[in-house]
Amino acid sequence: MESLRGKIVFITGASSGIGQATARAFAQQGARLLLCARRQEKLTAFAAELDAAEDVFTFRLDVRDRTAVEETLANLPEEWKAMDILVNNAGLSRGLNKLYEDDPQNWEEMLDTNVKGLLYVTRAIVPGMVERGRGHVINLGSTAGNQTYAKGTVYCASKAAEKVISEGLKLDLMGTPVRVTTVDPGMVETAFSEVRFHGNKDKAAKVYENLTPLEPEDVADAIVWAATRPPRVNIHSILLTSIDQANSNVVHRRVAS
Ligand code: NDP
Ligand code: 8X3
């Protein structure tokens, strides 16, 4: 297992869910953490919880804002610039509606965040990795990018795009030691469904009713595992679901007693 001690890991969307669990998992391995999200107050509170606070740098960033991504990442403090690992985790779903009835605003948010935001951050960080001769890009995909489900077309399309972008980035990085991995989880219980349903907690809870979903720590484990393989190994993709899920469309729910 490759050591992560002292490595700089940049995680987008670290104010919640999988991003936070991933930050904790890397911190436990002695990594230094660069964490961003739109809600700075959440990042500040989270960083205070982590043991090695001096090894954590948080900043507000909306990955949809191309100029902000370029300027903020170009102007990071010198000691934080040489990133070893980028985890493109910031993402969201909005709505669960038939495509032909959906509000296009939902599409803008998903595509701007999950696709364009990931591209902007990647474009800003990867040249430095190539120049330094080391690096690893780990993108958050989903079962949704591997199999479409009804009423989730645009979210699924955004994760299918993530899959293609991960494949293409790997191709473009051939001849360099920079690695690319897509980690594709099934249902994970986080704020994800609450965000999808615009804050409706009851509707969100129903998504995970009578089944065992993945926990954010399960995904963090997979990410850290990919990051700790020997430098000669490129893990291309990890598809993981809970025991109660087979794919985007098949889940097992226990009958409520
Ligand atoms: P959460 O809602 O718990 O976390 C999403 C994170 O993304 C938050 O930290 C949020 O921070 C951040 N984020 C959203 N929009 C932006 C933006 N424009 N700029 C910067 N940060 C942003 O959901 P999850 O942890 O579940 O989701 C994380 C990733 O995992 C997503 O890419 C999601 O698609 C993917 N995923 C989730 C699964 C699930 O079932 N939960 C399964 C498969 C994949 P803030 O609001 O402060 O900006
Ligand atoms: C999140 C998993 O099935 O809720 O990517 O869309 S799902």
Side-chain angles (χ1 to χ4, degrees):
M1 171 165 154
E2 280 292 297
S3 171
L4 292 168
R5 191 150 295 283
K7 293 267 167 72
I8 301 182
V9 182
F10 175 31
I11 304 170
T12 66
S15 61
S16 178
I18 295 168
Q20 280 196 345
T22 303
R24 270 195 208 96
F26 276 114
Q28 278 161 12
Q29 300 289 327
R32 300 173 62 209
L33 302 176
L34 263 175
L35 308 177
C36 79
R38 291 166 301 177
R39 290 170 297 173
Q40 174 65 55
E41 70 289 358
K42 292 253 178 208
L43 292 173
T44 306
F46 176 61
E49 270 173 37
L50 292 168
D51 270 350
E54 72 279 9
D55 284 334
V56 182
F57 184 81
T58 65
F59 57 99
R60 188 191 178 280
L61 185 65
D62 184 336
V63 298
R64 295 171 299 179
D65 183 340
R66 181 174 150 193
T67 307
V69 169
E70 288 167 359
E71 287 177 0
T72 308
L73 297 180
N75 291 302
L76 284 171
E78 263 332 296
E79 66 271 25
W80 287 100
K81 277 188 175 157
M83 288 165 213
D84 296 286
I85 298 167
L86 161 63
V87 184
N88 272 315
N89 165 76
L92 80 183
S93 62
R94 284 300 211 183
L96 191 64
N97 304 308
K98 291 186 177 182
L99 178 67
Y100 61 87
E101 295 172 350
D102 203 1
D103 179 351
Q105 178 57 34
N106 288 334
W107 309 342
E108 308 273 8
E109 286 184 52
M110 289 187 278
L111 296 173
D112 286 353
T113 310
N114 303 357
V115 183
K116 289 165 75 180
L118 180 147
L119 287 169
Y120 298 153
V121 173
T122 302
R123 178 67 182 85
I125 301 304
V126 171
M129 290 180 166
V130 172
E131 206 175 295
R132 290 187 293 279
R134 63 173 202 277
H136 193 164
V137 179
I138 302 176
N139 294 326
L140 259 294
S142 169
T143 44
N146 291 268
Q147 188 186 61
T148 310
Y149 57 87
K151 301 184 180 177
T153 302
V154 176
Y155 177 72
C156 293
S158 76
K159 291 301 180 180
E162 175 281 333
K163 186 178 153 85
V164 172
I165 290 165
S166 299
E167 287 169 6
L169 181 63
K170 172 65 190 166
L171 288 169
D172 290 344
L173 283 165
M174 290 305 289
T176 83
V178 180
R179 308 191 285 185
V180 183
T181 303
T182 174
V183 174
D184 300 355
M187 297 159 88
V188 189
E189 194 160 8
T190 62
F192 178 86
S193 291
E194 211 180 309
V195 171
R196 161 168 264 171
F197 297 123
H198 297 270
N200 187 330
K201 287 187 198 297
D202 291 341
K203 224 169 155 182
K206 288 228 174 312
V207 174
Y208 311 107
E209 207 168 64
N210 298 326
L211 61 76
T212 304
L214 287 172
E215 295 180 10
E217 289 71 22
D218 301 323
V219 184
D221 254 6
I223 291 171
V224 168
W225 181 80
T228 50
R229 294 314 86 208
R232 66 179 177 279
V233 178
N234 189 117
I235 301 297
H236 290 251
S237 69
I238 300 176
L239 176 67
L240 69 158
T241 67
S242 83
I243 196 69
D244 284 339
Q245 184 171 15
N247 57 37
S248 276
N249 289 294
V250 179
V251 296
H252 172 72
R253 289 183 202 270
R254 280 171 292 284
V255 179
S257 52

